[in-house]
Amino acid sequence: MPRVLTVAAAQLGPIQRSDSRAAAVERMIALMREAKAMGADVIVYPEAALTAFFPHWFISDDREIDSYFEREMPSTDSKPLFDEARRLKIGFHLGYCELDYATGAKRRFNTAILVDKQGEIIGKYRKIHLPGYVENRPGAPFQNLEKRYFEVGDLGFRAWRGFGGVMGMMICNDRRWPESYRVLGLQDVEMIFLGYNTPAHHPFTPEHDRLGHFHNELSMQAGAYQNATWVVGVAKAGVEEGVDQIGGSVIVAPTGEIVARALTNADELVVARCDLDLGRSYKESTFNFAKHRRVEHYKMIVERTGAIPPN
Ligand code: ING
């Protein structure tokens, strides 16, 4: 019996600072209803889907920074999303900014959760690869202050059983790092959900601008193929607080092929029927890690120690 999951990538257009969380949730619920009508089992929302991507500008006031974070999940504003998902019996992946007090101290994370069709949180991930920098760079047209506003995720890359398969998560810049996929691949992941906020312009390396979409797809197609897993990448797109962000949401098969993609930079649903067994033949042949992968024989020093590998 094939394990086919109908997946809806719910790309969002910009969310401005003046837009309320309630307005963002309303947009997400509209996409959720459309996804359900198309038979979707799970809907995937972007990174930081409840608010504007505030790491793009400098905020000095601590309380103002905290205003972009959720103190609990479901939060008051996101509860309607959980309620509607439960009513429709559809699962979802949601990126949001998390305030955590579990250790007694206040900690801020760039977080994502996976919620099953009963509205229960299956798993949580906190972004590990934080791009950007800590100190404001006033000369730049916009910032990336994720290293200032977030701590490095402390939950690792974990896979969970859900939706009849093995599911994993990562967030945005994580998709550019092969380790993110491989750690999940070593857990036999079959589908990875990720959201992103990716500017079209790179202030400090403008020569990279022309390859933004190529690198977006390359990263996810390589990760999918080399770990025989589905990858669902979902953008927050369009001009958000003056920063033009790429769209390009995609659903990538374990073969590395893009099976569906967004055509706009607005709210847009991208739907595909995903056979969770499609990666099996690769996991049993080309990417049979037990048979072919030889970590103990890799002569290169994994950490950048400057050592020249023996010839
Ligand atoms: N954004 C960007 C991303 O990784 C970036 C930052 C863009 C880094 C391009 C390097 C190159 O897609 C987030 N939020 O990680």
Side-chain angles (χ1 to χ4, degrees):
M1 177 73 174
R3 295 179 298 142
V4 176
L5 204 56
T6 301
V7 177
Q11 175 175 289
L12 291 179
I15 299 178
Q16 308 305 343
R17 288 161 81 163
S18 56
D19 292 335
S20 67
R21 283 177 173 76
V25 167
E26 224 172 277
R27 287 163 56 186
M28 289 194 270
I29 287 176
L31 289 166
M32 182 181 277
R33 288 172 180 156
E34 190 185 341
K36 183 65 182 178
M38 294 176 76
D41 298 296
V42 57
I43 183 168
V44 186
Y45 297 111
E47 171 191 33
L50 296 169
T51 65
F53 196 66
F54 62 93
H56 285 157
W57 62 87
F58 178 71
I59 305 171
S60 55
D61 180 86
D62 219 44
R63 277 171 308 152
E64 185 181 345
I65 296 170
D66 284 351
S67 72
Y68 289 94
F69 287 76
E70 312 306 316
R71 285 148 182 74
E72 69 273 318
M73 189 48 70
S75 53
T76 311
D77 288 309
S78 59
K79 188 173 179 308
L81 191 69
F82 279 76
D83 293 346
E84 185 67 0
R86 203 173 286 116
R87 186 183 73 83
L88 295 173
K89 293 189 178 45
I90 185 171
F92 65 94
H93 162 92
L94 177 70
Y96 67 97
C97 300
E98 176 195 12
L99 269 191
D100 174 76
Y101 293 93
T103 61
K106 175 168 78 173
R107 301 190 299 163
R108 295 175 176 143
F109 295 104
N110 185 343
T111 297
I113 51 173
L114 188 56
V115 182
D116 68 17
K117 294 184 176 182
Q118 290 69 46
E120 297 303 320
I121 296 176
I122 298 174
K124 177 157 80 172
Y125 169 71
R126 290 166 171 167
K127 186 173 182 179
I128 290 172
H129 296 96
L130 297 172
Y133 38 84
V134 175
E135 297 308 327
N136 188 29
R137 297 181 179 180
F142 59 90
Q143 310 295 317
N144 186 320
L145 291 164
E146 293 191 62
K147 284 187 167 67
R148 183 182 188 88
Y149 299 142
F150 302 122
E151 292 188 32
V152 174
D154 59 349
L155 302 176
F157 290 105
R158 268 203 53 196
W160 292 278
R161 292 216 162 280
F163 304 102
V166 180
M167 307 285 137
M169 289 185 276
M170 60 177 76
I171 299 176
C172 201
N173 197 255
D174 290 323
R175 77 190 186 286
R176 300 179 191 280
W177 297 86
E179 295 91 339
S180 310
Y181 300 91
R182 184 44 51 92
V183 172
L184 291 170
L186 288 167
Q187 298 171 68
D188 211 16
V189 74
E190 295 171 322
M191 181 170 280
I192 296 173
F193 303 112
L194 69 92
Y196 58 88
N197 287 262
T198 299
H201 173 53
H202 305 76
F204 307 105
T205 52
E207 67 276 20
H208 294 182
D209 291 8
R210 72 180 183 85
L211 292 169
H213 278 280
F214 172 66
H215 288 158
N216 182 48
E217 294 185 357
L218 176 68
S219 303
M220 292 190 274
Q221 287 181 272
Y225 168 61
Q226 291 167 349
N227 295 280
T229 176
W230 288 90
V231 173
V232 184
V234 185
K236 169 117 73 56
V239 181
E240 184 178 272
E241 290 303 317
V243 180
D244 186 13
Q245 301 202 117
I246 68 168
S249 302
V250 286
I251 298 176
V252 186
T255 58
E257 296 167 290
I258 293 175
V259 298
R261 67 168 78 241
L263 302 176
T264 72
N265 273 2
D267 289 13
E268 179 181 348
L269 212 59
V270 180
V271 180
R273 284 171 51 76
C274 305
D275 176 355
L276 294 179
D277 291 315
L278 192 57
R280 186 54 43 204
S281 68
Y282 290 90
K283 290 179 191 286
E284 291 170 354
S285 60
T286 312
F287 295 109
N288 180 326
F289 294 152
K291 266 196 186 152
H292 307 308
R293 185 168 174 264
R294 289 289 171 266
V295 180
E296 68 280 7
H297 288 266
Y298 295 165
K299 291 280 186 285
M300 287 293 285
I301 307 296
V302 175
E303 278 67 38
R304 183 181 291 280
T305 63
I308 306 296
N311 50 28

